[in-house]
Amino acid sequence: MNIDYIKDYGEVIPFNGAFNLKPKEKTVKKQIKLSKQNDNKVYTSIQELIKKIGLKSGDTISFHHHLRNGDKVTRIILKACEELGINDLKLAISAIFPVHNFIVDFAKKGIVSQIDTNYCVGEVANAITRGLFKKVAIFRTHGGRARAIYAGDLKIDVAFIAASASDEAGNINGIMGKNAFGSIGYAMPDADCAKISVAVSDTMYPYPLSNPSITQDKIDYVLMVDEIGDPNGIKSGTTDITKDPIQLKIAKTTANLIYESGLLKDGFSFQTGAGGISLASAHYVKEIMKEKNIKGSFIMGGITAYLVNLYNDGYFSNIFDVQDFDLEAVKSLRENKKHYEVSSSLYANIHTSSPIVNKLDCVVLGATEVDTNFNTNVITSSNGYIMGGSGGHSDAAAGAKLAIITTNLIRTRKAIVKEKINSITTPGESINALVCEYGVALNDKTLAKILKNSKLKIIDIKDLAKLANNICGVCEFEKSNKKIVAVVEYRDGSVIDVIRQK
Amino acid sequence: MNIDYIKDYGEVIPFNGAFNLKPKEKTVKKQIKLSKQNDNKVYTSIQELIKKIGLKSGDTISFHHHLRNGDKVTRIILKACEELGINDLKLAISAIFPVHNFIVDFAKKGIVSQIDTNYCVGEVANAITRGLFKKVAIFRTHGGRARAIYAGDLKIDVAFIAASASDEAGNINGIMGKNAFGSIGYAMPDADCAKISVAVSDTMYPYPLSNPSITQDKIDYVLMVDEIGDPNGIKSGTTDITKDPIQLKIAKTTANLIYESGLLKDGFSFQTGAGGISLASAHYVKEIMKEKNIKGSFIMGGITAYLVNLYNDGYFSNIFDVQDFDLEAVKSLRENKKHYEVSSSLYANIHTSSPIVNKLDCVVLGATEVDTNFNTNVITSSNGYIMGGSGGHSDAAAGAKLAIITTNLIRTRKAIVKEKINSITTPGESINALVCEYGVALNDKTLAKILKNSKLKIIDIKDLAKLANNICGVCEFEKSNKKIVAVVEYRDGSVIDVIRQK
């Protein structure tokens, strides 16, 4: 990274190590409101509300992604903006799914000019890669988005916060109502810092709403719509354990690695994704805990029925929940006493007194590419097209004592481990080990000593790269000078990479 | 108020109506922290911690008052400051009780130079009145303190937050541990905004603490001490219903007034203090609710066993709790599902999207003096000595649809209602009615119409003042030009009055 300035992003602070950027005292301009006794907050006309709050072209509007591929709120708001002739909007949306493909049209029409997100799949991802948006996209981590909002780096004019339940004063949550989606943790920084916060809901409860996740002091308006979305859409992708024998082997090796590391003992804390290998790893970890009678402390990450069962069966005594991946998880958040909803800042913001990721023993993560320094890509595919994002990847990797990448060495005839990768999302220094079907590659000398006499097959990552190379052929890596279409911001606000047009 | 500037306070914005001061966009300097994986937060040596955080002479340190007359934390910290030669401290403590009398000695020694508080009784109150502190005291309301902290008007260098339970990461609450005191709501703005937040606890729980009220992302250090205080001290003053027949009469009239106003119907919300008349009013309100089968919405205020019983017996379905006045209330906060802990900002901060006080139907309040414009004094006695503070008085009065002052017309041979009062705490415009043993004085034309045909004895407040005057003799009111010892700041940050030296 030797770029000083990126248009429509600003000055670049180059990434210089996971814990080396000391934050400055920030000057945050905060709009403070005057609330009167009988202020009415509830609107049913979107256009009337947008006029009332003075939303205008060039503004930054934010959305959370808790409804994932079932979200209807972003479309409702953008459509109203279109009708009112508002354009050049910056869309700060914590993640983008195929349900948001319509945004491409809004980009073509000039209504949306810039994307600021933590994860992006579908047509919007392709459109960014092809340089279709007027302004460069910004990819952050989940914790990095919270950091940017609190630091004033990401200034939100209006936050539109989908809520499955609201009362007339703006107490809201995501666990009640016909379209309950669970934790609303990603919207908490927005509610704290946006100039104007609008709850968008389809179910009104009598005042006061029980168990509000965001309270009335932080919500300026409540917009009532027919449907905020389809909560079945939160189950995006697979949330079942893989049946693929190679992936099961990787998962089993991963569980053994965790056990041999010495971390898997009473008080163990664990984060895992919802993908096939991740869930299978959780399964094998559970088997060891069962055999050895180990009682864990907390599980974290996108919460699924599988993790809820680990809690219900007593393997872990707490769940920290920043988002839910199925309706069983939503039910658990509603009912289980030690299933806690947490904000993305508490979860992963490096610039707080301490995020929960810092208390993690182990996290199991995925990758689209890994280089021989363990630098990991989870944003682009090996052909350079955007097809994901960090989400909590860099955050959990930096915080956890043991961060493990699990992956097949080769996928769809392409090497995952290689000399050079298209784009760096998470720095290699945060990764302790990589597990593939050929064995375990280590990036941690202390861990290497601990594992010296274990039965694990330890293999040098360079040998893995060679092996993949031999099977797939030389990985062509073209250096591009095309325009920058996305900035990859590390969790501390520095820039770890850029993505160029395809 | 025609004072432009007060030394050691700053520029004066004169009070100009309860809802007329439009807040400016504030620029808040926020120190943002860098947290690493293995940062240790726990200290057992106070001096070591104070050196570590670099607390120095001239700094502002803050404390909450949830342990009320049982607090030991303030003394522990100030003693360590003395030993380290730190002086000229501004003490931002949400309330001061006789247990804090020792502060007078610390003022004489120059260690404490200024008091910033919402309520003050005991020797510190006398010392302020006599001009013993080097700098002018600042009296705020509970909501006003939260406002000042979030707006950056009250800048806290180090917040010392007593917590009856903590874990090693700084998740804290006031409901667990040997010295549980209940809600920790007054400390929430401090934890959000102080440059450095220190939890001070005597009971460490395994990570993660269940039901944290303030989370680890907001606490930088945990100081372990032997005893944070004596929770029996939270029962300061009377929390029993009065047996005085005149006060019972006033309370009964108050309940009738509330009923006749039309507000006492299903969904009714109510705040009342813990004093004799207030609790008796709650009792008579309950009797009417029982007779008419009325189901209330929420009760608020300092929570006592009496209010908890109203919840348990189904008269009210929610409790909003910013502080607890007895151990039964603490138990209820721990156990009852719809007994919610709320921050002072959510409770009463005028410069948020809407504090809960704005949803109040009725509040019953006390007074030391009331003038014929219904301006109310709750800070000084009628001889001008400080003996209390607004607490939530001005906040609830401004927010509630019906704010009632209850008082004997005469107390200890002194008139309470009179032409002129020593000091204004709550503006008359926020008060709808005054109830005394001679009847009901109204300050609300709409209410007057509603009550025209009621059986209540309506009496002009000027006639009440005359009556009191006839009984007690002319109330001498001396205009003083002595130095200003305290600024009375209204909840919006304007100055409603000053208190002069005695």
Side-chain angles (χ1 to χ4, degrees):
Chain A
M1 279 297 306
N2 47 7
I3 299 165
D4 297 334
Y5 182 88
I6 297 169
K7 191 169 172 281
D8 299 320
Y9 172 78
E11 275 180 44
V12 170
I13 303 167
F15 173 76
N16 184 33
F19 290 101
N20 289 334
L21 181 63
K22 246 198 130 180
K24 285 186 196 150
E25 264 207 5
K26 291 272 183 176
T27 301
V28 181
K29 248 201 179 161
K30 211 176 155 177
Q31 185 166 306
I32 295 166
K33 299 133 186 176
L34 173 66
S35 58
K36 297 188 184 178
Q37 266 178 329
N38 300 314
D39 282 348
N40 172 47
K41 288 189 179 181
V42 182
Y43 283 74
T44 50
S45 161
I46 305 163
Q47 295 206 7
E48 196 186 315
L49 175 63
I50 288 179
K51 283 181 199 160
K52 163 83 185 172
I53 60 184
L55 181 67
K56 62 188 188 305
S57 297
D59 276 356
T60 298
I61 57 177
S62 82
F63 299 86
H64 67 67
H65 73 280
H66 289 290
L67 277 154
R68 296 170 61 83
N69 205 35
D71 173 44
K72 292 186 181 165
V73 166
T74 312
R75 183 179 208 126
I76 289 171
I77 300 301
L78 283 178
K79 221 166 161 304
C81 289
E82 180 182 27
E83 286 158 11
L84 290 166
I86 298 168
N87 52 45
D88 191 26
L89 292 168
K90 176 170 174 177
L91 205 63
I93 175 169
S94 50
I96 294 172
F97 296 91
V99 73
H100 298 117
N101 287 351
F102 72 90
I103 291 172
V104 177
D105 278 338
F106 280 77
K108 286 178 186 162
K109 291 181 200 158
I111 298 159
V112 173
S113 55
Q114 189 169 29
I115 296 288
D116 190 317
T117 193
N118 313 339
Y119 182 88
C120 186
V121 289
E123 288 306 319
V124 177
N126 287 331
I128 293 171
T129 314
R130 293 198 314 269
L132 197 140
F133 283 84
K134 192 176 143 200
K135 296 175 186 171
V136 65
I138 301 162
F139 276 76
R140 307 185 196 262
T141 73
H142 284 331
R145 182 178 194 271
R147 182 208 63 75
I149 293 172
Y150 283 109
D153 293 344
L154 171 52
K155 290 184 184 71
I156 300 167
D157 292 297
V158 186
F160 292 98
I161 301 173
S164 61
S166 177
D167 65 23
E168 62 181 21
N171 293 294
I172 59 171
N173 68 37
I175 57 170
M176 292 158 60
K178 60 185 172 183
N179 290 316
F181 52 78
S183 174
I184 198 166
Y186 291 121
M188 291 178 184
D190 306 48
D192 268 356
C193 301
K195 279 193 195 157
I196 295 168
S197 302
V198 177
V200 184
S201 188
D202 54 17
T203 313
M204 179 73 83
Y205 283 82
Y207 183 89
L209 181 75
S210 49
N211 302 305
S213 301
I214 296 173
T215 48
Q216 65 184 65
D217 51 331
K218 296 176 178 170
I219 299 294
D220 299 295
Y221 299 97
V222 179
L223 174 66
M224 294 306 294
V225 298
D226 289 338
E227 285 261 305
I228 55 167
D230 175 6
N232 292 306
I234 69 174
K235 193 165 179 166
S236 311
T238 175
T239 52
D240 290 327
I241 293 178
T242 180
K243 281 172 186 147
D244 176 317
I246 291 177
Q247 295 205 333
L248 284 174
K249 184 188 168 188
I250 296 169
K252 196 159 192 177
T253 306
T254 303
N256 288 337
L257 167 62
I258 296 168
Y259 180 68
E260 295 287 346
S261 78
L263 290 168
L264 186 45
K265 56 191 180 196
D266 282 348
F268 177 64
S269 55
F270 192 38
Q271 175 171 334
T272 178
I277 304 184
S278 294
L279 270 194
S281 304
H283 170 73
Y284 289 118
V285 164
K286 183 197 86 170
E287 291 298 310
I288 298 172
M289 293 176 81
K290 192 175 182 178
E291 189 196 325
K292 311 273 182 190
N293 194 26
I294 294 164
K295 299 284 171 211
S297 166
F298 67 88
I299 32 179
M300 193 155 68
I303 305 302
T304 59
Y306 193 85
L307 300 186
V308 169
N309 286 339
L310 292 183
Y311 168 94
N312 285 333
D313 295 342
Y315 292 103
F316 290 90
S317 49
N318 302 272
I319 301 174
F320 288 126
D321 186 350
V322 73
Q323 76 175 308
D324 294 281
F325 283 165
D326 58 36
L327 296 177
E328 290 81 358
V330 176
K331 182 169 178 275
S332 169
L333 178 60
R334 199 162 44 226
E335 294 176 4
N336 279 324
K337 223 182 145 179
K338 293 195 171 184
H339 183 159
Y340 297 107
E341 183 175 19
V342 298
S343 80
S344 51
S345 187
L346 171 55
Y347 165 53
N349 180 356
I350 185 177
H351 290 169
T352 62
S353 307
S354 66
I356 299 172
V357 289
N358 284 10
K359 300 295 286 183
L360 256 184
D361 284 327
C362 177
V363 63
V364 175
L365 297 162
T368 59
E369 296 180 305
V370 183
D371 75 15
T372 48
N373 292 315
F374 292 82
N375 292 309
T376 302
N377 179 11
V378 287
I379 297 184
T380 65
S381 65
S382 53
N383 61 11
Y385 273 77
I386 293 168
M387 53 161 288
S390 181
H393 197 283
S394 309
D395 300 312
K401 290 193 188 79
L402 175 59
I404 305 171
I405 302 287
T406 59
T407 180
N408 294 55
L409 183 63
I410 292 151
R411 268 203 304 260
T412 57
R413 280 170 286 177
K414 290 214 164 117
I416 304 298
V417 180
K418 46 191 152 181
E419 270 297 312
K420 271 198 158 179
I421 58 180
N422 269 284
S423 175
I424 299 176
T425 315
T426 296
E429 65 171 290
S430 293
I431 306 297
N432 304 81
L434 177 141
V435 181
C436 69
E437 65 274 39
Y438 294 94
V440 179
L442 295 176
N443 189 36
D444 177 330
K445 283 174 187 162
T446 312
L447 186 60
K449 271 186 202 162
I450 293 168
L451 298 178
K452 218 167 53 181
N453 299 316
S454 77
K455 286 176 185 167
L456 293 165
K457 188 181 167 197
I458 309 295
I459 185 165
D460 193 290
I461 195 159
K462 286 179 185 142
D463 294 331
L464 284 179
K466 275 182 207 156
L467 186 61
N469 203 339
N470 291 343
I471 300 170
C472 305
V474 177
C475 167
E476 280 171 41
F477 187 79
E478 45 166 330
K479 205 176 148 74
S480 162
N481 278 318
K482 286 193 176 168
K483 80 165 179 179
I484 295 169
V485 292
V487 179
V488 183
E489 200 180 80
Y490 188 62
R491 62 198 297 252
D492 64 357
S494 65
V495 174
I496 192 164
D497 211 342
V498 295
I499 295 166
R500 290 183 187 270
Q501 190 177 9
K502 279 280 159 189
Chain B
M1 280 298 306
N2 48 6
I3 299 164
D4 297 332
Y5 183 88
I6 297 169
K7 191 169 171 285
D8 300 319
Y9 171 78
E11 275 181 43
V12 169
I13 304 167
F15 173 77
N16 185 31
F19 291 100
N20 290 333
L21 182 62
K22 246 198 132 180
K24 283 185 198 152
E25 264 206 6
K26 291 271 183 176
T27 301
V28 181
K29 248 202 178 159
K30 212 175 153 178
Q31 185 168 307
I32 295 166
K33 297 134 190 177
L34 173 66
S35 58
K36 297 189 183 178
Q37 266 177 329
N38 300 311
D39 283 350
N40 172 48
K41 288 189 178 180
V42 182
Y43 283 72
T44 50
S45 161
I46 305 164
Q47 294 206 8
E48 197 187 314
L49 176 62
I50 288 180
K51 283 180 200 162
K52 163 84 184 169
I53 60 184
L55 181 67
K56 60 186 192 304
S57 297
D59 276 357
T60 298
I61 57 177
S62 82
F63 299 87
H64 68 66
H65 73 280
H66 289 289
L67 276 154
R68 296 169 61 83
N69 205 34
D71 172 44
K72 289 184 182 167
V73 166
T74 312
R75 183 181 208 126
I76 289 169
I77 300 302
L78 283 179
K79 220 166 160 303
C81 290
E82 180 181 27
E83 286 158 10
L84 290 166
I86 298 167
N87 51 47
D88 191 25
L89 293 168
K90 177 169 173 176
L91 204 65
I93 176 168
S94 51
I96 294 173
F97 295 90
V99 73
H100 298 116
N101 287 350
F102 72 91
I103 291 171
V104 177
D105 277 338
F106 280 76
K108 285 178 186 163
K109 290 181 200 159
I111 300 160
V112 174
S113 56
Q114 190 168 29
I115 296 288
D116 189 315
T117 193
N118 312 339
Y119 181 88
C120 187
V121 289
E123 287 306 318
V124 176
N126 287 329
I128 293 171
T129 315
R130 292 197 314 269
L132 196 140
F133 284 83
K134 193 177 143 198
K135 297 174 185 170
V136 65
I138 302 162
F139 276 76
R140 307 187 195 261
T141 73
H142 284 331
R145 183 179 192 271
R147 181 208 63 75
I149 292 173
Y150 284 109
D153 293 345
L154 170 51
K155 290 184 184 71
I156 300 167
D157 293 295
V158 186
F160 291 98
I161 301 173
S164 61
S166 177
D167 64 23
E168 60 180 23
N171 293 295
I172 58 172
N173 70 37
I175 57 170
M176 291 159 62
K178 59 186 174 184
N179 290 316
F181 52 78
S183 173
I184 199 166
Y186 291 122
M188 291 176 183
D190 305 51
D192 268 354
C193 300
K195 279 192 194 158
I196 296 168
S197 302
V198 177
V200 184
S201 188
D202 53 17
T203 312
M204 179 72 83
Y205 282 81
Y207 184 88
L209 180 77
S210 49
N211 301 305
S213 301
I214 296 173
T215 48
Q216 64 184 67
D217 51 330
K218 296 177 179 170
I219 298 293
D220 300 293
Y221 300 97
V222 179
L223 175 66
M224 295 305 294
V225 298
D226 289 338
E227 285 260 308
I228 56 167
D230 175 6
N232 290 305
I234 68 175
K235 194 164 179 165
S236 311
T238 176
T239 52
D240 291 327
I241 292 178
T242 182
K243 282 172 185 147
D244 176 316
I246 291 176
Q247 295 204 334
L248 284 174
K249 184 187 169 189
I250 296 168
K252 195 159 194 178
T253 306
T254 302
N256 288 337
L257 166 62
I258 296 168
Y259 181 68
E260 295 287 345
S261 77
L263 291 169
L264 187 44
K265 57 191 179 195
D266 282 348
F268 178 63
S269 56
F270 191 37
Q271 174 172 334
T272 175
I277 302 181
S278 293
L279 271 193
S281 304
H283 170 76
Y284 289 118
V285 164
K286 181 197 86 170
E287 291 298 309
I288 296 171
M289 292 175 83
K290 191 176 182 178
E291 191 197 323
K292 312 274 182 189
N293 193 27
I294 294 163
K295 299 286 173 210
S297 167
F298 68 89
I299 33 178
M300 194 156 66
I303 305 301
T304 58
Y306 193 85
L307 299 186
V308 170
N309 285 338
L310 292 182
Y311 169 93
N312 285 333
D313 295 343
Y315 292 103
F316 291 89
S317 49
N318 303 273
I319 301 176
F320 289 126
D321 185 350
V322 73
Q323 75 176 310
D324 294 281
F325 284 166
D326 59 36
L327 297 177
E328 289 81 359
V330 176
K331 182 169 177 275
S332 169
L333 178 58
R334 198 162 44 226
E335 296 175 3
N336 279 324
K337 222 180 143 181
K338 295 197 171 184
H339 183 160
Y340 298 105
E341 183 174 17
V342 297
S343 80
S344 51
S345 188
L346 172 55
Y347 165 54
N349 180 358
I350 184 176
H351 290 168
T352 63
S353 307
S354 65
I356 301 174
V357 290
N358 283 11
K359 299 295 286 182
L360 257 184
D361 284 327
C362 176
V363 62
V364 175
L365 297 162
T368 60
E369 296 180 305
V370 184
D371 75 15
T372 48
N373 290 317
F374 291 82
N375 292 309
T376 301
N377 178 12
V378 287
I379 298 183
T380 66
S381 65
S382 52
N383 61 13
Y385 272 79
I386 293 168
M387 53 160 288
S390 181
H393 196 283
S394 307
D395 298 312
K401 292 194 185 80
L402 174 58
I404 304 170
I405 301 287
T406 60
T407 179
N408 295 55
L409 184 62
I410 291 151
R411 268 203 306 263
T412 59
R413 278 168 290 177
K414 291 207 163 124
I416 304 298
V417 181
K418 45 192 153 183
E419 271 296 313
K420 271 200 157 176
I421 59 179
N422 267 283
S423 177
I424 298 175
T425 315
T426 297
E429 66 172 287
S430 293
I431 306 297
N432 304 82
L434 176 142
V435 181
C436 68
E437 66 271 38
Y438 294 95
V440 178
L442 296 175
N443 189 35
D444 177 329
K445 282 174 188 160
T446 312
L447 185 61
K449 268 185 205 161
I450 293 169
L451 298 178
K452 218 167 56 182
N453 300 317
S454 77
K455 284 176 184 167
L456 292 164
K457 189 182 165 195
I458 309 295
I459 184 165
D460 194 291
I461 195 161
K462 286 180 186 144
D463 294 331
L464 284 179
K466 275 182 206 156
L467 185 59
N469 204 338
N470 290 344
I471 299 169
C472 304
V474 177
C475 166
E476 282 172 37
F477 187 79
E478 44 167 330
K479 202 176 152 75
S480 164
N481 277 319
K482 285 193 178 169
K483 79 165 179 178
I484 295 168
V485 292
V487 179
V488 183
E489 200 180 78
Y490 187 64
R491 62 196 297 251
D492 64 359
S494 65
V495 174
I496 193 164
D497 211 342
V498 294
I499 295 167
R500 291 184 185 267
Q501 191 178 9
K502 278 281 159 187

